[in-house]
């Protein structure tokens, strides 16, 4: 607590938890969904990225606030307010979300290693899993602050890898602005929009941020210390989401500007080849490096979140290696049996989108509870916005299921 209440210099020092959570918003699933959207529909779905990023900023702040005010992670708070059968069911769906998360991240890392070094996908997946385990060991042995620095460094690598292409060929401003108008163009655009939403408002990041904020800052007393931390947390979330949003938008703009109309962009490998052909080998190399950093960082953060979810809901702690293997093995199986990796990435993001309401509904309910949150409970406006986010995402998923079955 001494660090938390220290004066001005600690303001910037206290930033960091949101940057770890933000890694979830620039994982390989984002690459697949955003590039597919840009290549197939041009600038049509720019509005989805902007809307998803605004939604993400709100829910990440609410998650962090829950951890700071109550001293409980979101999974722990759900456990406190749910009977045993409900907790088991809640954990099972959260575990499915964790598997889908790891699938996207391990497959993305494997694709990046194949692009950079020509490694087989399965070997690349194993290497990605091992490196992510080493990053988790850093967090376990050296503490959260060092882990935050490593992950933030990887976030900067990701941002450099994807933003660089925008300086080579700038997208038409008028087309980008036109893409801010909400609309769809058939069921496939809705599928991709849902995938983009699932890749941006990530369920495991919602669960994780409450623990990151609590573990970093503790449980400050009501009053000036807590108010200051909440203010710093808003800045933390705002800056992190701005970086993540810029990276996501750059992915779509790269595809919409350079890849639209090409027949070979239905996979990340094809998109990489198209980027090399249109923007040159240097940009293509940065693209692959950004993808690799994304896979390595996001899979370690995802595994960290999985452990927090399991511990919070089941009140049990499992060895780090076992926890890692639970979600890593399904991803390796997908690579081993030869499922199209890019399509697997997009579908994994749709699965994640289905898991979002299970994270958002209890989050909004808990942070609106004045008995639990005291004076820091959500205002009526914040509560209304939170329920709107949950409703929009849920309705989009229902429409997606209907259109998919009707095809």
């Amino acid at each position: 607590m001494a660090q938390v209440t220290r004066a001005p210099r600690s303001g910037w020092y206290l930033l960091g938890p949101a940057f770890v959570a933000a890694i979830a918003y620039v994982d390989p699933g984002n690459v697949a969904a955003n590039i597919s959207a840009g290549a197939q529909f041009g600038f049509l779905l720019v509005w989805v990225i902007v809307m998803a990023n605004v939604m993400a900023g709100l829910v990440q702040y609410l998650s962090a606030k829950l951890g700071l005010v109550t001293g409980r992670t979101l999974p722990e708070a759900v456990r406190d307010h749910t009977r045993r059968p409900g907790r088991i069911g809640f954990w099972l769906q959260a575990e499915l979300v964790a598997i889908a998360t790891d699938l996207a991240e391990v497959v993305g890392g494997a694709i990046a290693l194949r692009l950079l070094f020509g490694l087989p996908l399965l070997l690349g997946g194993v290497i990605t899993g091992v490196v992510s385990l080493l990053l988790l060991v850093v967090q376990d042995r050296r503490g959260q602050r060092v882990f935050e620095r490593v992950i933030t460094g990887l976030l900067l690598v990701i941002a450099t890898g994807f933003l660089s292409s925008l300086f080579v060929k700038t997208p038409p401003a008028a087309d980008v602005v036109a893409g801010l108008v909400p609309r769809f163009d058939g069921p496939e655009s809705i599928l991709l929009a849902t995938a983009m939403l699932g890749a941006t408002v990530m369920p495991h990041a919602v669960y994780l941020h409450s623990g990151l904020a609590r573990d970093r800052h503790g449980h400050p007393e009501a009053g000036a210390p807590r108010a200051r931390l909440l203010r710093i947390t808003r800045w933390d979330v705002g800056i992190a989401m701005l970086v993540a949003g810029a990276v996501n938008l750059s992915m779509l703009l790269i595809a919409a500007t350079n890849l639209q109309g090409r027949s070979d962009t239905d996979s990340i490998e094809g998109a990489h080849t198209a980027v090399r052909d249109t923007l040159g080998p240097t940009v293509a190399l940065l693209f692959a490096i950004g993808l690799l950093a994304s896979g390595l960082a996001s899979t370690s953060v995802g595994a960290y979140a999985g452990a927090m979810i399991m511990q919070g809901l089941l009140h049990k702690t499992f060895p780090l290696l076992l926890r890692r293997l639970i979600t890593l093995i399904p991803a390796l199986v997908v690579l081993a049996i030869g499922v199209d990796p890019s399509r697997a990435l997009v579908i994994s993001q749709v699965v994640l989108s289905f898991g979002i309401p299970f994270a958002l509904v209890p989050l909004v309910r808990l942070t609106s509870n004045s008995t639990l949150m005291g004076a820091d409970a959500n205002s009526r406006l914040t509560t209304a916005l939170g329920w709107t986010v949950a409703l929009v995402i849920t309705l989009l998923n229902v429409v997606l299921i209907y259109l998919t079955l009707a095809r």
Side-chain angles (χ1 to χ4, degrees), residues 187-220:
E188 184 67 16
S189 68
I190 298 177
L191 174 66
L192 283 171
T194 306
M196 292 162 68
L197 197 61
T200 304
V201 186
M202 296 281 276
H204 77 279
V206 179
Y207 296 122
L208 176 65
H209 205 156
S210 56
L212 290 171
R214 190 273 311 272
D215 292 346
R216 172 74 115 79
H217 303 309
H219 180 204

Side-chain angles (χ1 to χ4, degrees), residues 91 307 310-311 314 316-323 326:
W91 169 73
M310 180 177 286
Q311 183 175 354
L314 302 183
K316 293 182 179 179
T317 302
F318 292 87
L320 186 63
L321 180 60
L322 176 61
R323 173 63 247 175
I326 288 174

Side-chain angles (χ1 to χ4, degrees), residues 219-233:
H219 180 204
E221 297 178 2
R226 183 187 293 173
R228 179 169 179 268
L229 267 181
L230 290 174
R231 184 171 63 252
I232 291 171
T233 297

Side-chain angles (χ1 to χ4, degrees), residues 160-178:
T160 301
F162 290 108
L163 290 171
S164 59
S165 63
L166 297 181
F167 296 96
V168 177
K169 187 174 182 180
T170 306
D175 291 340
V176 177
V177 172

Side-chain angles (χ1 to χ4, degrees), residues 215-301:
D215 292 346
R216 172 74 115 79
H217 303 309
H219 180 204
E221 297 178 2
R226 183 187 293 173
R228 179 169 179 268
L229 267 181
L230 290 174
R231 184 171 63 252
I232 291 171
T233 297
R234 287 192 289 271
W235 277 99
D236 192 26
V237 171
I239 297 170
M241 290 299 104
L242 184 63
V243 174
V247 173
N248 276 320
L249 186 58
S250 72
M251 295 174 191
L252 186 143
L253 297 183
I254 290 169
T257 305
N258 304 287
L259 311 182
Q260 191 178 8
R262 292 185 60 126
S263 59
D264 56 350
T265 57
D266 56 347
S267 67
I268 290 181
E269 295 97 323
H272 175 264
T273 299
V275 167
R276 185 186 61 205
D277 293 343
T278 56
L279 298 177
T282 301
V283 173
L285 176 63
L286 292 173
F287 178 100
I289 292 173
L291 178 64
L292 178 60
S294 170
L296 296 177
S298 56
T299 192
S300 61
V301 171

